Amino acid sequence: MTPTDADHALRALDEALALVSRDPRPGAAGAAGAHRAASWPDARETAARAGSAGLPRTHRVPLANALGEVLAQPLEALTDLPSFDTSAMDGWAVAGPGPWTVRPGGGVLAGSDRPEPLADGEAVRIATGARIPADTTAVIRSEHSHESGTQLHADRAVLTGQDIRVRGQECRSGDLLLPAGSLVTPAVLGLAAAAGYDELTTRPRPRVEILVLGDELLTEGRPHEGLIRDALSPMLGPWLTRLGAEVTATRRLGDDPAGAKALLDAVTGSDADLVVTTGGTASGPVDHVHPVLHEAGAELLVDGVAVRPGHPMLLARLGCGTPGRDAVRHLVGLPGNPLAAVSGLVTLAEPLLRALAGRRQRPRYTVPVQGDVPGHPYDTRLVPVLLTDEHAVPLRYNGPAMLRGVAAADGLAVVPPHGARNGQDLEILDLPWVSGGCFT
């Protein structure tokens, strides 16, 4: 079978399964009394709302530890910037009209004591960032002047105040520099330091614990005898870290009754803000996530999403939010197939984590697709794409168990039911390492 034939066969199988599964449309035959999967946009909105619902945690940290977190308080200037009149260039500080008599001795350097005032008709060498002497008219750049004996001559017109950064030019003490909710980037760290801060009050990174479920998973070596390599443990931790999370642990649990008990203990006893599970979200004989959530008293916010791959993903809320006793926590259940798990990450985990961290949701944008893209009869499809200067180019190897396509991709294209035509604008979900992600 050629690769193209294989692609067609996969799509045909997916569509056939869709036709015999629950039809998510209101009033569709066979849907009465059955669970309805959330639409893909509704699922993402539900996840974002869930992350915004609780009282935010805050902490005060040194500047070096604040990178990638979000300001919990406005950043206000603690001083004027600059805090004194400074030279913007290497050159000469001059007073009055020229030519000027060069002051004997050394020049004025950055960080030196307050310089002596200039007399009318006097010039003194000055370095960038140095304090401006009193009564200075202007700074003349070195390349715009020349010396003749003890006299300094300007090679072009001199304007009063030129190349002087006056006190408070950037801000005055008490000015709002950045509002609460701003992401702490390297530039923000520089601004905070310039404004006099040693610490910042920020929203800490959400804590995440990962539970990988399954008896068929190998941690090393080649797949053999019905066993497969665990592709999710190496991928999920770094992915969630790029989304701004602090991954506290990654653990593997079996599918047997002991594994189900361990899953219940982990779900009820974890101190993480978010527990992420892999596999066990469907209705098979060893799929324990739903029974465990029921026993834990969890509230299912999303139970299945009309998206391919990744249909059986879920989002649950644990705890009632009693202060000091029972903090609200969440669980995102990812399907066990690798690309389906990626779908769950971008659909539920990313908007939830961004909201928990106080970060704004990513701006939405579209790109015209190159070529026709087959669609699912009812569900949204997420298809790995390469981004060129003009198009989103769909990649092959986009089946639920495949990572080959997304490993080469820049993003995921959101394909509506029934597909997209060549040149149609499709929403693009940037992969976190392509779009910059969170600073780590």
Side-chain angles (χ1 to χ4, degrees), residues 40 67 109 162 243 273 299 309 424:
W40 183 78
L67 188 64
L109 301 178
Q162 73 180 29
L243 294 180
D273 302 296
E299 178 187 1
Q424 181 175 334

PDB file of all heavy atoms in Angstrom, residues 40 67 109 162 243 273 299 309 424:
ATOM      1  N   TRP A  40     -15.072  21.750  20.255  1.00  0.00           N
ATOM      2  CA  TRP A  40     -13.674  22.098  20.520  1.00  0.00           C
ATOM      3  C   TRP A  40     -13.544  23.526  21.063  1.00  0.00           C
ATOM      4  O   TRP A  40     -12.849  23.733  22.079  1.00  0.00           O
ATOM      5  CB  TRP A  40     -12.851  21.902  19.250  1.00  0.00           C
ATOM      6  CG  TRP A  40     -11.393  22.179  19.451  1.00  0.00           C
ATOM      7  CD1 TRP A  40     -10.480  21.349  20.033  1.00  0.00           C
ATOM      8  CD2 TRP A  40     -10.695  23.370  19.087  1.00  0.00           C
ATOM      9  NE1 TRP A  40      -9.252  21.948  20.057  1.00  0.00           N
ATOM     10  CE2 TRP A  40      -9.350  23.189  19.479  1.00  0.00           C
ATOM     11  CE3 TRP A  40     -11.062  24.554  18.470  1.00  0.00           C
ATOM     12  CZ2 TRP A  40      -8.371  24.163  19.264  1.00  0.00           C
ATOM     13  CZ3 TRP A  40     -10.104  25.536  18.260  1.00  0.00           C
ATOM     14  CH2 TRP A  40      -8.766  25.335  18.658  1.00  0.00           C
ATOM     15  N   LEU A  67      11.425  35.340  36.310  1.00  0.00           N
ATOM     16  CA  LEU A  67      11.344  35.215  34.859  1.00  0.00           C
ATOM     17  C   LEU A  67      10.279  34.204  34.461  1.00  0.00           C
ATOM     18  O   LEU A  67      10.228  33.080  34.971  1.00  0.00           O
ATOM     19  CB  LEU A  67      12.697  34.783  34.298  1.00  0.00           C
ATOM     20  CG  LEU A  67      12.850  34.791  32.782  1.00  0.00           C
ATOM     21  CD1 LEU A  67      12.718  36.206  32.250  1.00  0.00           C
ATOM     22  CD2 LEU A  67      14.191  34.202  32.377  1.00  0.00           C
ATOM     23  N   LEU A 109      33.346  60.818  34.286  1.00  0.00           N
ATOM     24  CA  LEU A 109      33.081  59.417  33.970  1.00  0.00           C
ATOM     25  C   LEU A 109      31.775  58.964  34.622  1.00  0.00           C
ATOM     26  O   LEU A 109      31.331  59.537  35.625  1.00  0.00           O
ATOM     27  CB  LEU A 109      34.229  58.541  34.455  1.00  0.00           C
ATOM     28  CG  LEU A 109      35.606  58.854  33.876  1.00  0.00           C
ATOM     29  CD1 LEU A 109      36.645  57.928  34.493  1.00  0.00           C
ATOM     30  CD2 LEU A 109      35.601  58.741  32.359  1.00  0.00           C
ATOM     31  N   GLN A 162      21.022  69.173  23.559  1.00  0.00           N
ATOM     32  CA  GLN A 162      21.240  67.993  22.726  1.00  0.00           C
ATOM     33  C   GLN A 162      22.064  66.940  23.463  1.00  0.00           C
ATOM     34  O   GLN A 162      22.979  67.247  24.233  1.00  0.00           O
ATOM     35  CB  GLN A 162      21.917  68.373  21.408  1.00  0.00           C
ATOM     36  CG  GLN A 162      23.374  68.753  21.524  1.00  0.00           C
ATOM     37  CD  GLN A 162      24.000  69.122  20.183  1.00  0.00           C
ATOM     38  OE1 GLN A 162      23.316  69.617  19.273  1.00  0.00           O
ATOM     39  NE2 GLN A 162      25.300  68.896  20.056  1.00  0.00           N
ATOM     40  N   LEU A 243       4.842  25.483  28.681  1.00  0.00           N
ATOM     41  CA  LEU A 243       3.562  26.175  28.854  1.00  0.00           C
ATOM     42  C   LEU A 243       3.524  26.977  30.150  1.00  0.00           C
ATOM     43  O   LEU A 243       2.508  27.601  30.454  1.00  0.00           O
ATOM     44  CB  LEU A 243       2.411  25.173  28.836  1.00  0.00           C
ATOM     45  CG  LEU A 243       2.167  24.449  27.517  1.00  0.00           C
ATOM     46  CD1 LEU A 243       0.990  23.486  27.646  1.00  0.00           C
ATOM     47  CD2 LEU A 243       1.906  25.441  26.379  1.00  0.00           C
ATOM     48  N   ASP A 273      -1.441  21.774  41.517  1.00  0.00           N
ATOM     49  CA  ASP A 273      -2.600  22.513  41.028  1.00  0.00           C
ATOM     50  C   ASP A 273      -3.311  21.739  39.924  1.00  0.00           C
ATOM     51  O   ASP A 273      -4.528  21.868  39.749  1.00  0.00           O
ATOM     52  CB  ASP A 273      -2.168  23.881  40.491  1.00  0.00           C
ATOM     53  CG  ASP A 273      -1.460  24.713  41.541  1.00  0.00           C
ATOM     54  OD1 ASP A 273      -2.109  25.069  42.537  1.00  0.00           O
ATOM     55  OD2 ASP A 273      -0.260  24.987  41.369  1.00  0.00           O
ATOM     56  N   GLU A 299     -15.847  16.827  39.919  1.00  0.00           N
ATOM     57  CA  GLU A 299     -16.864  17.366  39.003  1.00  0.00           C
ATOM     58  C   GLU A 299     -16.285  17.379  37.596  1.00  0.00           C
ATOM     59  O   GLU A 299     -15.263  18.022  37.333  1.00  0.00           O
ATOM     60  CB  GLU A 299     -17.247  18.787  39.409  1.00  0.00           C
ATOM     61  CG  GLU A 299     -18.258  19.430  38.472  1.00  0.00           C
ATOM     62  CD  GLU A 299     -18.507  20.888  38.787  1.00  0.00           C
ATOM     63  OE1 GLU A 299     -17.878  21.416  39.735  1.00  0.00           O
ATOM     64  OE2 GLU A 299     -19.318  21.517  38.064  1.00  0.00           O
ATOM     65  N   PRO A 309      -7.401  14.117  16.400  1.00  0.00           N
ATOM     66  CA  PRO A 309      -7.481  13.069  17.409  1.00  0.00           C
ATOM     67  C   PRO A 309      -7.749  13.659  18.790  1.00  0.00           C
ATOM     68  O   PRO A 309      -7.712  14.875  18.967  1.00  0.00           O
ATOM     69  CB  PRO A 309      -6.093  12.428  17.338  1.00  0.00           C
ATOM     70  CG  PRO A 309      -5.189  13.555  16.961  1.00  0.00           C
ATOM     71  CD  PRO A 309      -6.001  14.407  16.008  1.00  0.00           C
ATOM     72  N   GLN A 424      -8.085  28.249   1.931  1.00  0.00           N
ATOM     73  CA  GLN A 424      -8.991  28.655   3.010  1.00  0.00           C
ATOM     74  C   GLN A 424      -8.182  29.024   4.254  1.00  0.00           C
ATOM     75  O   GLN A 424      -7.206  28.366   4.611  1.00  0.00           O
ATOM     76  CB  GLN A 424      -9.951  27.506   3.333  1.00  0.00           C
ATOM     77  CG  GLN A 424     -10.960  27.818   4.427  1.00  0.00           C
ATOM     78  CD  GLN A 424     -11.958  26.674   4.626  1.00  0.00           C
ATOM     79  OE1 GLN A 424     -12.211  25.900   3.692  1.00  0.00           O
ATOM     80  NE2 GLN A 424     -12.516  26.577   5.815  1.00  0.00           N
TER      81      GLN A 424
END
